Every structure is written in C-alpha cells, then in structure tokens.
Amino acid sequence: MPAVSKGDGMRGLAVFISDIRNCKSKEAEIKRINKELANIRSKFKGDKALDGYSKKKYVCKLLFIFLLGHDIDFGHMEAVNLLSSNKYTEKQIGYLFISVLVNSNSDLIRLINNAIKNDLGSRNPTFMNLALHCIANVGSREMAEAFAADIPRILVAGDTMDSVKQSAALCLLRLNRTSPDLVPMGEWTARVVHLLNDQHLGVVTAATSLITTLAQKSPDDFKTSISLAVARLSRIVTSASIDLQDYTYYFVAAPWLSVKLLRLLQCYPPPEDAALRSRLIECLETILNKAQEPPKSKKVQHSNAKNAVLFEAISLIIHHDSEPTLLVRACNQLGQFLQHRETNLRYLALESMCTLASSEFSHEAVKTHIETVINALKTERDVSVRQRAVDLLYAMCDRSNAKQIVAEMLSYLETADYSIREEIVLKVAILAEKYAVDYTWYVDTILNLIRIAGDYVSEEVWYRVIQIVINRDDVQGYAAKTVFEALQAPACHENLVKVGGYILGEFGNLIAGDSRSSPLVQFNLLHSKFHLCSVPTRALLLSAYIKFINLFPEVKTTIQDVLRSDSQLRNADVELQQRAVEYLRLSCIASTDILATVLEEMPPFPERESSILAKLKRKKGPGNLPDIDDNCRNVNGSAEHNESSESTVTSAAHPFADLLNLNSAPATAAASPSLLVDVFSESSTAAATEVSEESFSRFICKNNGVLYENQLLQVGLKSEYRQNLGRMYVFFGNKTSTQFISFSSSVTSEEKLRTQLNIHAKAVDPLIEGGAQVQQILNIECVSDFDEAPVLNIQFKYGGALQNIAIKLPVMLNKFFQPTEMTSQDFFQRWKQLGAPQQEVQNIFKARHPMDTDVTKAKILGFGVALLEGVDPNPANFVAAGVIHTKSTQVGCLLRLEPNEQAQMYRLTLRTSRDSVSQRLCDLLSEQF
C-alpha cells in the first residue's frame, strides 16, 4: 500500500476527535456533534467546490460520528465522488464510508458499482484491492449479481498480482457464502485448484479457504485438489522453520495454511491412489511425531500453533477412520493432553476422544484412559470440561466397563452442576439398560438414580423401568421387593412413589407371602405417601389400590373405606373424584371374575423406538451427531447382545430397543400409514440413480461408521446382528442450514434377493431441519444365503431441487455369523469332514494393506467368526470358525488365513457345507487384506 504523507494527517479531524473526548457530559458531546454536522452540511451545500482533501476530511468526520452511534443522513454522494479520485487516501476513505454506511437498497448503488467496475479494470493493484475489499465487506446480492462473473476471471488471470489474487479469492468466498446461487461454476473452477501450487503462500492460504467451501458444495468438481493439497501439506510439514520464514509463526511452519489444507482433505474420503494415500499418511505421522518433540519455545503462541495443526490432523484421521495405527496414535496423543495444565487442551482432547471412541479401531485405546477421565470428572474445576468428561465416559462405555462407569456417573451426580444433571440422568439410564447383563442391577441403578437426582428423572426414565420390569418375568419379583424396601425410607422422591405404586400394583403378590410385606403392609406403606404427592401421582396410586383389591381380597374393605372417604368422593380435582367413584362402584358391584378380567396384569408392551434416547438427542441440540447411539458396539465389529424374551422378528432383532413409549399411539396405528407412503411413494419409483458403492467394502468387517457423505447430507450407520436377525440404525444428518423437505428413504432389492432377505423399514421424518439429524430403523431377516446387497434410496427437496441418492447397503452374508469356539481336535475333524472339492474355496492374493498382525486379528473378528488361538501348528497363521444363520438352515464355516510377509501375499482357504457360501465369504474377506 502507498505510504500516507504528512499532508494527509487531517488536522481538523484530529481536533474534532479531541473535542469529543474532552466533553464532560453526553449533552456536551451531542452539542459539539450537532455543531460539526451543521458545519459539514453547509460546506457540502456551499457554492464553492470542495477539493479532494476537504471532502475526505468531512467524510471521515461523518464516519466517526456514525461510529459513535449517531445517525447520518447526508454525505453519501460526496463519499461516492471520492471513489473517482486518483489519490489512494481519498479513494480509501470513500470505500471505507461506503462499506460501513451504504446499504444494498441505496439509490447510489449503481454509481458505486460503476466506480468499482472502473477500479477492477484499472489494473492498478492498489485500486483493485480496495474495490475487492468493498465488495466483500458489503457482500450484498446486488454486488454479487454485478461482479460474481468478473472476480473469477481476475483470480485465475496469469498477470494478476499475488496481493490481488488473495483479495479476489477471499472476496469470492464471501459472495459464495452470502449468495451461493449467483456464483457461477465454470472453467475457472478447474484453474483455481492449481492455485494450491502457487509460490506465494498467501495466495495458497486464501485459495484453500475458497476451495474448501466450494468443495463442500460440489465435491466432484474439486477432486483434483486432493493430490495438490497433499503435496503442499507434505512440503510444509517436512520443511524446517527457516524454509518458510515469512510464514513461520513461533517456529511452526505455516500453521494456518496447514490447518486449512487438513480441513480441505476432510471434504473427501481417503485417497484411492496408493502412493497419494501413503504420502498423506506420512504427513499425518510427521505431525504426530512433531507433537512429541520438545517445544522450541516456551511461549503460548508456539504451543497454540503447534496444537492447532495437531488437532486438525487428528480430525482428519478420525474422518477417514481407515488407518488403525494412526487412530491409536491419535488416541494416545490426546491421552497426554487429558492431564495438561491448559484447560482448553483438556477440553479439546476429551471432545476429540468422544469421536474416537465410536471407531472400532480406536475404541479399546480410548478405554485405557478411563481412570484419567474419571479423575477429571471428580477434580476438574471447569464445568464445561466435566461435561465433556461425562460425554467421553458415555462414549467409551461397553459391557466390560459399564458397571464402573455407571457407578462413577452416579457418584458424580450427587455434586454435579445443576445445568447438566438431567443429561447425566438420561445417559445413566441408557447405559444401565443397554449393558444390563443382570436386570436386577438395572433396577437397582434406576432406583438409585431416582434417590440421588429425583427432580431430574424425567417421565421417560421411570416409564422405561416399568417397561423393562413388565416385559421380563425374571426381574418382577426382585423389582417388587426392591421398591418396597426403598419406599420405607422416611423421605421418598415422588418419582419413586410412582414407580413403587405401579410395580406393587402389578406384582405386589410376588412378595405378599412374607409377613414383612403382607398386602396390608404394602397398602399402608403406599397410602402413607398419598397425601404428600401431586394429583397425577395420587391418580396412579388410586389405580394401584383397585389393583390391590383384585390381587388381595383381604384388604378390599380397607381400600373401599379409603375410596369412600370424603377426601376422595368430594375431591376438588375432577380426575381424582371420578377415579374414586368409579373404582369404588367397580369393587362393589363386579364379581371376582369380572374384576380379574378388568384388572388383569399388564401384558408385555410392544416395541418402540427409545424415548430416552430421543430425549437425549433433543437435549444435545441439532447438528450434534451422536458419538455412540442406541446400538451395542463391539470393537471387533461383531454385535454384542443380551437375552431377549420376545420371539418375534422385530423384538428379537434388537433386545435393547424401547418396548414402550407411553405417550405415543399404538405402533401399528402410528407406523403403518407413513410406512405405506414410504414404500409406495415416488422415491421408490424415481428415475434410475447411480448407486454409490464407495463405502460398501469398509463395512464388511465393521458395523458402525459414515456410509455416505456429500455437501448436503451425511448418512451414518449403526447396526447389530444376532443369528439370522439384524437391526440397522440409519442416521441422516442435514449438513446445511436449510430444511430438507419431502424427505423419504426406502430400501429396494432385486427380485431374487427379496426371497433371500426380508427388510422392514420404519418411517422416517419427512422434514429435516438445517443442522439436524433423523433416524430410521431397518429390521432385517436372513431367509437364505445371498450374494447381492439391497439399495437404500433417498429422496428429498433442497432449495426447490429434487435430490436422488442411491447407496448400496452393507448387508452381507457374514453379518449373520455366530462365532463358534472349537478345540484343535474338533477343528481338524470338522475340516476333514468338509473335504469335498465343491465345499472348499481358496484364494491367493497380494496384500493390499500393510501386514499387521493385530489389524488382521481385528478384521477376522469383525468378519463375525471366532478366532481360534493355538489351533494351527504355524503360529503366524490365523484360524477361525463360525456358523451362518439363516431362517431356513445353518451353514458351518471354517477358515484359514496364511500370510507370507516376505512375498507380501496371503492364502485364504474357506470350507463350508455349501459351495455358494464358501465363494461369497471368500470374495468378501479377500478384499480386506
């Protein structure tokens, strides 16, 4: 920029500012401003023409007055006149005034646009920069319409100076954010990618910001940026700080550019080209290695820049979710930050580890830090960090540590910050149910939850414990005994009274044989709480009393006396009065058989989507994709299961699904109409769309992850399988700030596959708010062995345009494996029995990935079979066994994987009782090594 000469000091402006600062009161300031405004107005209206210096000075005074909070209704034309000046300082003040005071509806906008157009065409870099800055600052739709076509030409022109390229890239970025529909995509998009190779790092930084935004909108148009971004990132991370002196910040080479390049790479899946992928992995490993080096400076700026690059690299590793070694290293690096003295680092580490915990590859590594996280929960002073610690404990929880984590959460709940208590309650309730091997532990946990934080236990939580107890015969007696003992405490929370009233009303007979919990004792205990409760709880207790009359005829007279009392029959609340009258008459006139029929035990509740999980997601807010969801996770990719008392397909498929939402209509009534619309809507008969198979093979050995992602939509999967049944949770995340309307999702299969695989898709919400997420549940039944995969068809309207997406669903035959443990003798005996030529399939193939023993084991376990240790005489070989479950039959499978590290080859041998199954399993597993 040109230097400002002494003559441009504007002494008059300095004197005016000094006068304003010296004013003793608001009135004195207003008086001085009014005097100055009158003077400026007279100068502008005077007969004598003002020179450029005077105009600039008076326009500056008007701008200062405006910034003080006073309205300015004149001087705009004089500011526009300054734009035509050839002096930098005058033109600068004109553009500054217009950027601040002129709105898009101004009558002067055409004159301003003409002046900007002249400066853009002047080829004077200083004037071009001023014009571009003004366009970006105003950012109006009118400006976008006028200049959106010119700016890309300036950006990619070969003779444009570096400083102008920077301004043009950032200006185009601003217009793309304010008016994306007006920024034309043309041949310039292919040329702008090559700015990543520019020698000027300022141009590269600005271009990277622009390309990242454009790639989110049209990823296919900018795929070539991947190789250029990796190459540039590689040059930066491998350079010494002295190589990039102008862009080295406290011994960290180009940290802002590194962060932007890493964010650009997060717009795409891992590179398919092996050399490019290897180079990117090398870059990420270098960043992780540098994080371990001793700091080159003790100043906080050095550590901030270094950690900014590190956390963005970890975000990319998590996004790709394909390199187990990097994921584990990232987890270990984050673990070191958990005890860092800097609060922000502890917060960021906990937040990133929440995401890592949902990856099969890094879940076990995250679990090793459980003691540190629990300690943070107890000792951390910052409530936001404690909140993240709770989130991480929730994310890392599985069957092996569920009791410890739930116990720690309950302990913390007693002293937790009031703002997060309800969320902790919901998480404890979800974890206790999901990982309850013994449902007596679940009942104890929920009752303890009510005791500790009863005010924060929502209806969904105590509804849920009732659902579980009613649907599980083995826990009903224990639940009745436990709530009876809990109600004997002098002070009980009202939610405990509700649970106690409901459970004793249904199952009090199971403990009535003990004299300490006889029917009369149970009734007196409940009635002692009656007068302390609210109207809804009293209504529930009255229902429990009439149930007692059916269960225990010996207390009928006592209960009738209570119902007959004036406090009930003449109660001011109409609901209580009506119940008392009707229950009394029912007990008096109905025979024993009629009473037994009317007041029979509640039947098992039908299955519903989890209302507790839905409440937790609403509380977390839109845009927060869950780190763990209502599915069981096993780090090896196979699902974990609990026993299920249901025999139907839907309930057996997901033993932890919510069995009841007491606030909803019956399942058939609620689901059927929308399901019919979903199945027979246009989405299922829409024009053929290319089926995306990009992520299909990644799910062969894992059940959770991101299945599909573009600039608008992210589709995530969580799935679990047991024998021939499966349940898949599909999460649709709106990545934009605009609603998706007419959203529908259906599953289609080829005719042959429909006879082999039954899939029932529940209805999905037709409206997805910007930044929000909805869930669809697919219930799957394997009828017989199959080769093909179903297709998920998604259709919605975005910005008035109909979007069609088809994705190959990762439902493969190996998902229906049941692992089988065998001794060495049993294995080889069965191996010989399956010796027919048609029963064996063998494949010798080149290793596609590094030959890592731990990764290979994880993939074999993720495939669904049991890994048999010590069976093969060669300890380097891998031997496994499992049974494929279908509705019609079961197919045993034995496999042997022989790695040859020297030749970088594998030999995979499978033997099953059905040749088609052998071939299909061999094809699937061979792709993974």
Side-chain angles (χ1 to χ4, degrees):
M1 292 291 180
V4 179
S5 65
K6 285 187 177 180
D8 291 323
M10 293 187 286
R11 179 174 172 78
L13 175 64
V15 171
F16 174 60
I17 292 175
S18 179
D19 289 347
I20 293 294
R21 288 177 176 171
N22 292 331
C23 289
K24 303 296 185 185
S25 64
K26 187 70 175 174
E27 291 76 14
E29 178 184 307
I30 293 173
K31 183 178 179 181
R32 178 68 181 90
I33 287 173
N34 288 337
K35 179 183 176 182
E36 192 64 39
L37 286 174
N39 177 54
I40 297 172
R41 201 185 299 270
S42 67
K43 294 291 184 183
F44 284 168
K45 289 185 176 180
D47 298 331
K48 185 179 178 182
L50 295 175
D51 59 11
Y53 172 79
S54 299
K55 281 184 184 177
K56 176 184 69 172
K57 179 177 66 175
Y58 293 135
V59 167
C60 253
K61 288 183 178 181
L62 290 175
L63 184 57
F64 180 71
I65 292 169
F66 176 78
L67 295 177
L68 287 176
H70 301 273
D71 292 332
I72 298 298
D73 56 4
F74 69 98
H76 299 74
M77 193 63 204
E78 284 70 19
V80 173
N81 289 337
L82 286 175
L83 299 184
S84 59
S85 171
N86 287 324
K87 284 190 176 182
Y88 166 73
T89 54
E90 294 173 10
K91 192 181 287 284
Q92 180 197 34
I93 296 301
Y95 274 122
L96 183 60
F97 185 93
I98 282 162
S99 297
V100 175
L101 271 88
V102 174
N103 60 50
S104 57
N105 299 323
S106 173
D107 297 333
L108 302 174
I109 201 72
R110 185 170 294 178
L111 289 174
I112 295 169
N113 284 353
N114 286 335
I116 291 174
K117 195 175 287 288
N118 290 335
D119 284 337
L120 288 179
S122 68
R123 311 309 295 171
N124 181 323
T126 303
F127 293 173
M128 293 177 76
N129 275 327
L130 285 174
L132 289 167
H133 293 171
C134 180
I135 296 170
N137 285 330
V138 176
S140 65
R141 193 167 181 82
E142 290 75 13
M143 289 260 185
E145 288 174 347
F147 303 111
D150 298 330
I151 297 171
R153 287 199 295 270
I154 295 171
L155 177 61
V156 298
D159 58 347
T160 304
M161 292 188 65
D162 292 336
S163 62
V164 178
K165 284 183 181 178
Q166 283 179 261
S167 299
L170 296 175
C171 181
L172 199 56
L173 174 62
R174 163 74 168 160
L175 294 183
N176 185 71
R177 286 174 176 168
T178 56
S179 307
D181 55 314
L182 296 180
V183 177
M185 291 291 177
E187 61 178 56
W188 67 272
T189 55
R191 296 173 64 187
V192 77
V193 170
H194 293 286
L195 291 177
L196 294 176
N197 268 339
D198 199 281
Q199 292 182 346
H200 193 281
L201 287 192
V203 174
V204 181
T205 305
T208 305
S209 296
L210 174 63
I211 293 168
T212 301
T213 301
L214 295 175
Q216 291 169 350
K217 181 180 176 183
S218 306
D220 292 339
D221 293 340
F222 296 91
K223 268 191 174 179
T224 53
S225 66
I226 299 174
S227 58
L228 297 176
V230 171
R232 175 62 79 172
L233 182 65
S234 177
R235 293 201 295 274
I236 292 172
V237 299
T238 56
S239 66
S241 57
I242 56 173
D243 297 338
L244 303 170
Q245 281 186 342
D246 292 341
Y247 287 86
T248 295
Y249 180 78
Y250 287 87
F251 304 100
V252 182
W256 288 278
L257 177 54
S258 300
V259 167
K260 289 177 184 292
L261 290 169
L262 289 164
R263 284 185 183 166
L264 171 59
L265 291 170
Q266 288 175 54
C267 297
Y268 296 96
E272 296 177 0
D273 181 69
L276 186 62
R277 186 167 182 164
S278 174
R279 191 173 185 185
L280 176 56
I281 291 171
E282 186 181 326
C283 289
L284 295 171
E285 286 177 340
T286 304
I287 293 172
L288 292 174
N289 291 338
K290 285 186 175 181
Q292 299 287 348
E293 295 175 359
K296 296 178 180 178
S297 171
K298 293 183 179 179
K299 293 191 175 181
V300 68
Q301 292 93 333
H302 171 72
S303 60
N304 283 347
K306 190 175 176 181
N307 290 331
V309 178
L310 174 64
F311 276 102
E312 208 59 53
I314 291 174
S315 295
L316 179 60
I317 292 168
I318 294 171
H319 172 76
H320 284 172
D321 192 22
S322 60
E323 296 297 330
T325 307
L326 285 179
L327 284 162
V328 172
R329 283 198 62 188
C331 180
N332 294 336
Q333 181 64 53
L334 291 172
Q336 295 176 18
F337 288 137
L338 292 180
Q339 294 177 304
H340 199 278
R341 58 185 176 83
E342 177 61 44
T343 304
N344 288 335
L345 281 180
R346 296 197 300 274
Y347 180 94
L348 290 170
L350 288 166
E351 190 174 49
S352 298
M353 288 183 82
C354 282
T355 314
L356 276 172
S358 63
S359 169
E360 273 88 356
F361 300 122
S362 54
H363 182 73
E364 286 297 321
V366 172
K367 282 168 56 180
T368 61
H369 301 284
I370 185 170
E371 295 301 333
T372 308
V373 179
I374 289 171
N375 186 57
L377 192 64
K378 295 176 179 176
T379 60
E380 184 61 55
R381 289 177 296 177
D382 191 309
V383 64
S384 63
V385 181
R386 294 200 300 272
Q387 168 75 70
R388 294 284 79 78
V390 170
D391 290 344
L392 179 53
L393 285 174
Y394 177 71
M396 69 166 63
C397 189
D398 60 21
R399 202 172 309 286
S400 66
N401 57 19
K403 288 192 176 182
Q404 180 187 5
I405 287 177
V406 168
E408 293 294 346
M409 281 189 171
L410 283 172
S411 175
Y412 171 62
L413 191 56
E414 298 192 37
T415 56
D417 193 86
Y418 292 108
S419 61
I420 62 173
R421 283 194 179 187
E422 185 179 2
E423 187 177 325
I424 296 174
V425 166
L426 291 173
K427 287 180 173 177
V428 168
I430 291 166
L431 295 178
E433 177 191 345
K434 184 189 297 186
Y435 300 115
V437 178
D438 177 4
Y439 272 91
T440 59
W441 171 74
Y442 169 74
V443 171
D444 289 339
T445 300
I446 298 300
L447 293 182
N448 205 12
L449 199 61
I450 295 173
R451 180 187 63 80
I452 294 171
D455 290 339
Y456 299 91
V457 175
S458 61
E459 288 184 336
E460 287 87 351
V461 175
W462 72 264
Y463 285 173
R464 187 66 184 126
V465 71
I466 289 170
Q467 296 162 18
I468 294 291
V469 170
I470 287 178
N471 282 62
R472 297 194 66 88
D473 297 338
D474 56 336
V475 80
Q476 290 165 358
Y478 180 81
K481 178 175 177 291
T482 307
V483 295
F484 175 78
E485 293 172 352
L487 285 172
Q488 292 176 341
C492 294
H493 194 276
E494 192 167 330
N495 280 332
L496 182 59
V497 177
K498 291 176 182 177
V499 174
Y502 202 110
I503 290 178
L504 290 179
E506 293 292 330
F507 310 114
N509 59 310
L510 298 178
I511 60 170
D514 190 329
S515 59
R516 292 170 297 179
S517 55
S518 64
L520 187 59
V521 173
Q522 289 185 44
F523 170 73
N524 289 334
L525 181 60
L526 283 178
H527 197 56
S528 67
K529 315 292 183 185
F530 186 89
H531 303 289
L532 304 173
C533 297
S534 63
V535 169
T537 306
R538 292 185 187 186
L540 187 149
L541 288 177
L542 288 177
S543 298
Y545 296 169
I546 191 67
K547 288 265 188 176
F548 271 23
I549 290 178
N550 177 46
L551 291 175
F552 314 120
E554 62 267 33
V555 297
K556 178 176 180 178
T557 305
T558 306
I559 295 174
Q560 284 179 333
D561 289 342
V562 171
L563 295 174
R564 198 177 283 118
S565 64
D566 285 351
S567 61
Q568 305 305 331
L569 295 181
R570 299 183 180 181
N571 197 294
D573 186 88
V574 65
E575 174 68 21
L576 293 180
Q577 186 185 93
Q578 183 176 354
R579 288 196 184 209
V581 170
E582 291 179 356
Y583 290 164
L584 179 61
R585 293 300 296 156
L586 179 65
S587 66
C588 292
I589 65 174
S591 66
T592 305
D593 292 340
I594 293 175
L595 269 180
T597 303
V598 174
L599 303 173
E600 67 179 347
E601 186 180 307
M602 286 290 288
F605 289 116
E607 178 187 356
R608 295 289 200 284
E609 179 187 353
S610 174
S611 54
I612 306 180
L613 266 168
K615 184 177 178 69
L616 180 61
K617 289 172 187 172
R618 288 197 303 271
K619 187 168 180 60
K620 294 297 281 184
N624 287 294
L625 300 185
D627 294 316
I628 74 166
D629 290 279
D630 47 341
N631 313 285
C632 300
R633 183 216 297 105
N634 182 302
V635 295
N636 295 321
S638 58
E640 294 182 13
H641 296 277
N642 202 351
E643 294 180 7
S644 174
S645 60
E646 301 295 325
S647 58
T648 61
V649 170
T650 53
S651 58
H654 185 43
F656 302 115
D658 198 348
L659 303 173
L660 175 71
N661 181 342
L662 295 182
N663 291 319
S664 67
T668 52
S672 298
S674 55
L675 181 62
L676 288 174
V677 171
D678 190 48
V679 172
F680 297 108
S681 66
E682 293 179 3
S683 62
S684 56
T685 57
T689 305
E690 185 179 350
V691 178
S692 171
E693 300 184 21
E694 195 172 295
S695 300
F696 182 81
S697 62
R698 289 174 54 207
F699 282 82
I700 291 174
C701 291
K702 70 174 191 174
N703 290 333
N704 311 329
V706 176
L707 177 64
Y708 176 85
E709 187 168 11
N710 64 10
Q711 70 276 16
L712 305 177
L713 179 72
Q714 183 187 68
V715 182
L717 282 191
K718 302 278 184 178
S719 49
E720 60 180 0
Y721 297 85
R722 185 179 185 183
Q723 296 184 354
N724 70 312
L725 302 172
R727 167 161 288 193
M728 183 177 287
Y729 290 76
V730 187
F731 299 94
F732 303 101
N734 183 347
K735 295 173 62 177
T736 73
S737 56
T738 307
Q739 286 182 338
F740 291 166
I741 59 175
S742 303
F743 189 93
S744 64
S745 169
S746 60
V747 179
T748 57
S749 305
E750 294 182 1
E751 185 175 353
K752 180 182 177 183
L753 183 60
R754 283 199 294 271
T755 64
Q756 300 166 334
L757 198 68
N758 291 332
I759 300 182
H760 175 260
K762 294 196 174 182
V764 65
D765 195 329
L767 181 71
I768 307 181
E769 297 290 344
Q773 173 190 284
V774 298
Q775 170 187 285
Q776 184 177 34
I777 300 175
L778 308 179
N779 288 322
I780 305 165
E781 180 187 27
C782 179
V783 179
S784 62
D785 62 279
F786 58 95
D787 293 335
E788 298 301 319
V791 175
L792 180 68
N793 297 294
I794 304 167
Q795 190 177 68
F796 60 93
K797 287 183 179 179
Y798 168 74
L802 187 64
Q803 307 287 329
N804 283 298
I805 299 170
I807 311 167
K808 195 172 182 180
L809 266 183
V811 181
M812 308 88 164
L813 188 58
N814 65 292
K815 299 297 181 184
F816 301 95
F817 256 127
Q818 196 75 11
T820 304
E821 296 291 343
M822 302 176 76
T823 63
S824 177
Q825 181 180 351
D826 292 339
F827 178 85
F828 285 109
Q829 182 180 349
R830 181 63 177 155
W831 184 267
K832 290 176 183 177
Q833 290 172 355
L834 297 172
Q838 68 272 19
Q839 293 177 325
E840 178 180 289
V841 173
Q842 190 174 91
N843 186 20
I844 300 173
F845 55 94
K846 192 81 174 172
R848 298 179 178 86
H849 306 285
M851 300 179 76
D852 184 291
T853 302
D854 291 336
V855 173
T856 303
K857 285 182 179 179
K859 287 183 176 179
I860 292 174
L861 288 169
F863 196 63
V865 291
L867 193 62
L868 307 179
E869 303 282 359
V871 170
D872 198 292
N874 184 349
N877 294 343
F878 301 92
V879 175
V883 177
I884 295 282
H885 286 260
T886 70
K887 185 178 181 180
S888 56
T889 186
Q890 295 182 8
V891 182
C893 172
L894 304 178
L895 73 84
R896 187 183 191 194
L897 182 68
E898 300 166 86
N900 185 335
E901 293 195 17
Q902 186 175 357
Q904 289 292 294
M905 302 279 286
Y906 285 102
R907 178 165 66 184
L908 174 63
T909 308
L910 280 106
R911 291 188 179 183
T912 73
S913 53
R914 184 169 299 185
D915 54 347
S916 59
V917 173
S918 300
Q919 187 61 57
R920 181 56 180 158
L921 293 178
C922 184
D923 293 343
L924 288 170
L925 192 56
S926 296
E927 297 178 18
Q928 300 301 302
F929 301 107

